[in-house]
Amino acid sequence: MATRLPSHRCTSLVRSLSLALVLALSSAVVASCSLVIDGNAESCTADADCVNHPGKTLCDLEEGTCISPDTCSTNAECGADEVCTFASPRKCRTLLAEHCGVIYPDDPGIYRDENALLIGLTAPLTENGAASSTGVSILNSAKLAVDEINDADGANGQRLLVLVVCDDTGDSNIAEVNGQALTDMGIQAILGPAFSGQTLNMTKGTDDDPADPADIASDGTVARGVFNISSSATSTEITGIKDKAPSCASEEDCPGLVWRTSPSDLIQGAAMVAYFPQLEVIAKNRVEPPRPKVKVVILHKGDSYGSNLANFVHENLLVNGGVLAISSPDVKNLDYGDTSAAATPTPDADVIAEAIAFQADVYILIGTNELGTPLDAPTEPGVMQLIEEGWDDTTMDSKPYYLFADGGLIGEVANAATLTGARSRVRGTVPGTIALSPTDPIGLYTGRYTQKFPDDEVGSPTVFGGAGAYDAVYLMAYAVAAADGQPMTGEQFARGMLRMSESEPIEVGVGKFGTANNILQNDGSINFIGASGPLDFNPVAGEAESDIQIWCLAASGQGQFSTLFYSAESASMDGNNDAVGTCPFP
């Protein structure tokens, strides 16, 4: 009776062997005949057999060989509005998704070019149905950088930049969905999200271990090997995120994939604590005789950014003669909920009522767009307007002062301050540097932004995150030059970032673009000076320290820097007192 071998390409190679040999080896042949008989490293019986064959990860069961999962290799093989995705499995895909509806420049001749460099962008372009100044400012700034770089023949003088733009509406879950959509398109570098909670959600994924803040889930962009850079996420949790590129062969030589042009809130928290004594003196002396004490409410968003920064301030702030705020009955620390979560789309009304009832002299507000009132929806008041309109004027001589963190330097807060007459009582902190002249990096950026978007009533170059987004696009373009022709994977973008913080100073913008490319193409490094400030990146944390500016609102409603700032180098306030000059108090 004949022995029947499994249907497999190896069968013909063993028919000439003796029946005894076949019987003895048949189980080994079925499992892995390529190792025993023909030496063909691409033979297989299941996909798992192809795990060590780069580019051929699927098993063709009929032929018994490992094959490529790719269905295209060039954009020319795809439809008129599609591209062949960069990352395997390569397939024809449109650059559009549920929340990703904008391509910039929207020119198939550019985005379907084989050399085009596709960059994802996710930001809160809208929140609660209204245009968001944070997202619009970030997008406008990125567009400005893309246009400047493309006018200079693109990254490395060869690759035109294209933005694939997604609106995450300030929702952490949508930000994660956008990250997955962009990586499914094969995009290897993403600018955004704007907020810390969204950044953690997108990069880590949501099925991580809540007990392990460094844990990374399979659906996060880090696990997918994609580079991410945020221009305005400041949470301290991002510093310690586990973000090594999964493609790295050596842990010691493995760059992180999560970077930011904004500093950690450890610095901003220290700045808020250091500035508060000046505000406390103003609040005490606004009546005669001066008040012996002030009351303070720290009112914050319940996400990673708001909670961590508020708790830092609460634990380090000194009030009323040096009493630690955390032990003082004159200070409240209140959480109004995470308004970026679907379950809490608006601030908790009971918490806001408690904050108003406390009748504080100073409200320290830490959050994002929900703090202000949308320009196109004045009937939907945010936190600041609710406090102003709910104030009991009979119990105090005057209304309170406000100290915002960086998330308050937005059009929505300026709108609320103008509507309620609180403009001159507003102060805030924000990472960055002051423009000393129209020709320094931030001055040039501000002028070019205003020239490109003269009629935009939502976005502004002074909104936190805008300058950092402009810087981020230039940094990604410089990473291409540093790669010297290597494929631009997420790991390669990260490796390029390691060469941006030493050697020759290079100011962001078109003026030094060619010089920077030449240096990087010749294995050199640059010391990148951005519109958001000098970015001396810590290569492990993927972030840079920054001075923290004190800002106020001009008569026009625009945010402007005072002459006072917190020096990251000296860890103290520096410059002139802002009670006069550019930011006078009432």
Side-chain angles (χ1 to χ4, degrees):
M1 178 177 176
T3 300
R4 182 171 181 175
L5 294 174
S7 176
H8 193 281
R9 69 186 297 269
C10 300
T11 304
S12 62
L13 298 176
V14 299
R15 281 178 179 158
S16 60
L17 299 178
S18 67
L19 178 60
L21 181 59
V22 170
L23 291 173
L25 298 179
S26 61
S27 61
V29 169
V30 171
S32 185
C33 72
S34 62
L35 298 177
V36 178
I37 303 297
D38 66 0
N40 184 345
E42 294 183 358
S43 296
C44 63
T45 58
D47 290 348
D49 297 334
C50 304
V51 68
N52 294 320
H53 305 305
K56 296 186 176 182
T57 58
L58 297 182
C59 181
D60 184 328
L61 297 178
E62 184 175 339
E63 295 295 325
T65 58
C66 295
I67 61 173
S68 171
D70 299 342
T71 58
C72 64
S73 58
T74 67
N75 293 337
E77 300 171 45
C78 301
D81 61 346
E82 296 178 324
V83 298
C84 181
T85 57
F86 172 83
S88 188
R90 300 194 70 185
K91 55 185 178 180
C92 294
R93 283 288 306 263
T94 177
L95 296 178
L96 299 174
E98 181 181 1
H99 306 287
C100 308
V102 174
I103 303 171
Y104 185 86
D106 190 7
D107 181 351
I110 296 177
Y111 68 75
R112 296 192 73 244
D113 187 279
E114 299 297 339
N115 281 328
L117 183 68
L118 303 180
I119 296 172
L121 185 152
T122 181
L125 302 178
T126 60
E127 285 194 87
N128 298 322
S132 163
S133 63
T134 296
V136 171
S137 301
I138 287 172
L139 176 57
N140 286 350
S141 299
K143 287 180 175 180
L144 174 61
V146 164
D147 286 348
E148 290 179 357
I149 292 168
N150 286 353
D151 287 345
D153 297 326
N156 212 12
Q158 298 176 339
R159 307 192 64 174
L160 298 183
L161 274 57
V162 176
L163 297 174
V164 180
V165 182
C166 307
D167 181 8
D168 54 45
T169 73
D171 186 293
S172 294
N173 293 326
I174 295 177
E176 183 181 0
V177 169
N178 290 349
Q180 293 169 3
L182 291 169
T183 56
D184 285 345
M185 296 173 192
I187 288 173
Q188 297 294 294
I190 299 175
L191 170 56
F195 306 143
S196 297
Q198 295 170 302
T199 299
L200 289 166
N201 240 43
M202 190 184 81
T203 57
K204 293 173 56 177
T206 52
D207 59 345
D208 57 320
D209 180 1
D212 180 6
D215 184 56
I216 298 296
S218 60
D219 58 349
T221 56
V222 168
R224 293 180 171 209
V226 173
F227 173 80
N228 170 256
I229 184 166
S230 174
S231 64
S232 52
T234 57
S235 170
T236 56
E237 287 186 42
I238 296 173
T239 301
I241 190 173
K242 181 181 177 184
D243 65 343
K244 297 294 187 181
S247 57
C248 283
S250 169
E251 180 76 11
E252 293 74 22
D253 186 41
C254 196
L257 292 173
V258 180
W259 293 67
R260 49 183 171 176
T261 55
S262 52
S264 163
D265 275 330
L266 287 176
I267 301 175
Q268 183 171 203
M272 298 182 82
V273 168
Y275 173 69
F276 178 80
Q278 295 191 22
L279 191 57
E280 181 184 50
V281 169
I282 298 296
K284 285 182 176 179
N285 291 329
R286 63 181 170 172
V287 295
E288 188 61 42
R291 286 192 175 85
K293 289 185 177 183
V294 294
K295 294 197 296 182
V296 180
V297 168
I298 304 168
L299 188 58
H300 67 91
K301 187 175 184 176
D303 64 353
S304 172
Y305 159 69
S307 297
N308 288 335
L309 183 52
N311 290 338
F312 179 93
V313 172
H314 193 209
E315 292 167 5
N316 292 276
L317 190 71
L318 299 177
V319 298
N320 297 327
V323 178
L324 203 61
I326 198 169
S327 60
S328 171
D330 300 314
V331 180
K332 279 183 177 287
N333 184 14
L334 302 177
D335 179 342
Y336 56 74
D338 183 359
T339 56
S340 63
T344 316
T346 58
D348 188 310
D350 290 338
V351 172
I352 301 300
E354 182 181 357
I356 296 172
F358 195 64
Q359 297 285 279
D361 299 277
V362 179
Y363 286 86
I364 299 176
L365 301 184
I366 304 173
T368 51
N369 290 25
E370 74 283 346
L371 297 176
T373 302
L375 294 167
D376 49 2
T379 59
E380 299 177 9
V383 172
M384 182 184 183
Q385 187 172 347
L386 291 172
I387 293 173
E388 286 287 302
E389 292 178 350
W391 198 259
D392 184 356
D393 284 325
T394 64
T395 62
M396 288 190 69
D397 297 297
S398 55
K399 288 189 174 181
Y401 290 95
Y402 297 91
L403 177 60
F404 288 88
D406 50 33
L409 186 53
I410 52 177
E412 289 83 350
V413 165
N415 187 41
T418 300
L419 290 172
T420 60
R423 180 188 60 79
S424 61
R425 292 181 273 119
V426 169
R427 293 295 180 274
T429 59
V430 66
T433 56
I434 190 169
L436 299 177
S437 79
T439 58
D440 65 16
I442 188 172
L444 286 171
Y445 154 73
T446 301
R448 289 169 179 161
Y449 182 109
T450 304
Q451 183 178 21
K452 184 173 178 63
F453 305 102
D455 301 321
D456 186 359
E457 297 181 354
V458 178
S460 166
T462 63
V463 169
F464 180 54
Y470 178 79
D471 293 342
V473 173
Y474 268 92
L475 287 164
M476 287 187 275
Y478 286 149
V480 176
D484 194 25
Q486 295 293 316
M488 290 311 298
T489 61
E491 178 186 339
Q492 198 63 54
F493 277 104
R495 290 197 180 280
M497 293 293 292
L498 300 177
R499 292 166 56 188
M500 303 296 167
S501 301
E502 56 186 39
S503 191
E504 182 174 343
I506 293 290
E507 295 181 346
V508 69
V510 292
K512 293 289 186 71
F513 188 65
T515 301
N517 279 329
N518 289 334
I519 293 171
L520 293 165
Q521 287 167 352
N522 288 286
D523 297 325
S525 298
I526 63 174
N527 185 4
F528 185 84
I529 301 173
S532 62
L535 292 172
D536 295 322
F537 289 106
N538 178 321
V540 176
E543 60 194 35
E545 291 189 347
S546 170
D547 291 342
I548 306 296
Q549 301 293 324
I550 303 299
W551 56 268
C552 61
L553 296 175
S556 64
Q558 287 288 319
Q560 64 179 15
F561 291 163
S562 75
T563 54
L564 187 68
F565 69 97
Y566 177 85
S567 168
E569 182 178 1
S570 67
S572 62
M573 299 306 298
D574 203 345
N576 299 321
N577 191 306
D578 71 332
V580 296
T582 56
C583 292
F585 282 108

